[in-house]
Amino acid sequence: MAAVDPQQLRTFVTVTRLASFSEAARDLGYTQSAVSQQIAALEADLGTALLGRRPVAPTAAGRRLLEHAAPLLVRLEAARADVARLAGAPSARLVLGATPLAVGAALGHALGEVRRVFPQVEPVVQVLAQGVLPAQVATGEVDLALIDGLAAPSDPLPLPEVGPLTTVAVGEQPLAVALPLGHPLAGRPGLALADLSAARWLDAPDLTPTADRLRAATGTDGFRPATRYRGTDLHGLLTLVAAGHGLTLLPAPVLARVPGIASAPIAAPRLVHRTELLHGSLPEGPAALLARLLAG
């Protein structure tokens, strides 16, 4: 068996994502026959069918290949981007990726200092979900990222392995449960998170810990979502909490003096809202300065 061709692998992932040979051809800039030939060559190389044709969907072998393909392609792009950063001239670009709750006063002050030192730079801040940011840093789509999440005190965030990236803790905050005003638990001095496992919860994976993460943290089943919320708008999420559609877990400072919202701190297990800076090799320039300011 020959080594798997990365281009064939990329074509396979695209066909699977779009569930169409013709759409994949348009997306990749190929003819449809070229896409079909690449998939046929990959199937011949691996000795098994990877895609059903009517409808276009991965076979059992194709689904297993997809589990390998996505991280492999990210690592290939990451290697190319890492070498290019090391070999290239210092960049005047500054693109920061950030999860919604990682954007705060510290970032504002640091960006102000970067603009003072590099007045020609126009910083770009892209607010994105946690799941996509490590790969975007590794492949150079963003220069560095601020990522937040749930962790035990002083423990790193559980981020995917996408390449040789540097991770630096930049802050930890206490956690609290967001409650509607008048909720019986509002104002309690401390709650055990496991005791809330049967409550109604909001499922907002782009903003707050998922039910799987809460179950893992407490060793308890439950945390079933009553309402699913897709997006990164914190105001919209808290509006749903205030209206009684479910609870959510957020950094305690975020919930201070929010109209319609009460809160109660989490006392057990010992958990914090942690923010980390993630970056690859950074040639001297505005991105490197921002990294030093945020880490220092």
Side-chain angles (χ1 to χ4, degrees):
M1 182 188 298
V4 174
D5 183 329
Q7 189 54 60
Q8 292 175 359
L9 202 58
R10 189 171 288 106
T11 298
F12 166 70
V13 169
T14 305
V15 172
T16 304
R17 173 171 58 85
L18 298 175
S20 167
F21 280 72
S22 59
E23 290 296 324
R26 257 192 297 276
D27 187 77
L28 294 167
Y30 298 153
T31 64
Q32 185 169 335
S33 63
V35 169
S36 298
Q37 289 167 12
Q38 288 192 39
I39 297 300
L42 183 60
E43 290 178 324
D45 179 38
L46 295 176
T48 186
L50 300 171
L51 286 168
R53 277 16 182 214
R54 294 178 184 273
V56 176
T59 62
R63 289 192 295 273
R64 181 56 58 85
L65 180 60
L66 277 174
E67 294 176 14
H68 295 282
L72 282 172
L73 291 172
V74 167
R75 289 302 296 265
L76 283 171
E77 290 301 317
R80 180 190 298 275
D82 205 23
V83 171
R85 281 192 295 264
L86 287 171
S91 173
R93 186 186 88 154
L94 175 52
V95 180
L96 172 75
T99 48
L101 299 178
V103 177
L107 174 60
H109 295 320
L111 284 174
E113 178 62 12
V114 170
R115 295 186 69 176
R116 185 188 70 78
V117 176
F118 296 97
Q120 77 282 9
V121 170
E122 296 181 358
V124 176
V125 178
Q126 296 181 354
V127 177
L128 300 164
Q130 185 196 87
V132 304
L133 276 172
Q136 292 214 346
V137 174
T139 58
E141 293 179 69
V142 300
D143 299 310
L144 62 171
L146 281 171
I147 301 178
D148 74 282
L150 184 71
S154 301
D155 276 4
L157 294 176
L159 300 176
E161 172 57 47
V162 292
L165 300 178
T166 298
T167 304
V168 181
V170 297
E172 289 186 353
Q173 296 175 312
L175 284 162
V177 178
L179 308 161
L181 283 180
H183 193 282
L185 297 177
R188 291 281 185 91
L191 298 175
L193 187 57
D195 291 345
L196 302 173
S197 61
R200 294 163 55 89
W201 283 85
L202 287 165
D203 176 45
D206 295 339
L207 278 167
T208 62
T210 62
D212 285 344
R213 187 78 181 92
L214 295 178
R215 286 192 285 267
T218 59
T220 305
D221 199 10
F223 301 101
R224 305 299 176 192
T227 303
R228 301 185 186 278
Y229 183 86
R230 297 294 178 262
T232 59
D233 177 25
L234 180 61
H235 174 76
L237 180 68
L238 292 177
T239 298
L240 294 181
V241 173
H245 291 287
L247 310 183
T248 194
L249 197 63
L250 287 163
V254 168
L255 301 176
R257 297 181 296 279
V258 176
I261 296 293
S263 66
I266 295 298
R270 293 185 65 225
L271 296 169
V272 295
H273 174 261
R274 181 178 173 91
T275 302
E276 294 180 349
L277 173 67
L278 193 65
H279 63 84
S281 55
L282 288 175
E284 197 53 48
L289 175 57
L290 180 61
R292 288 197 297 273
L293 292 169
L294 291 172

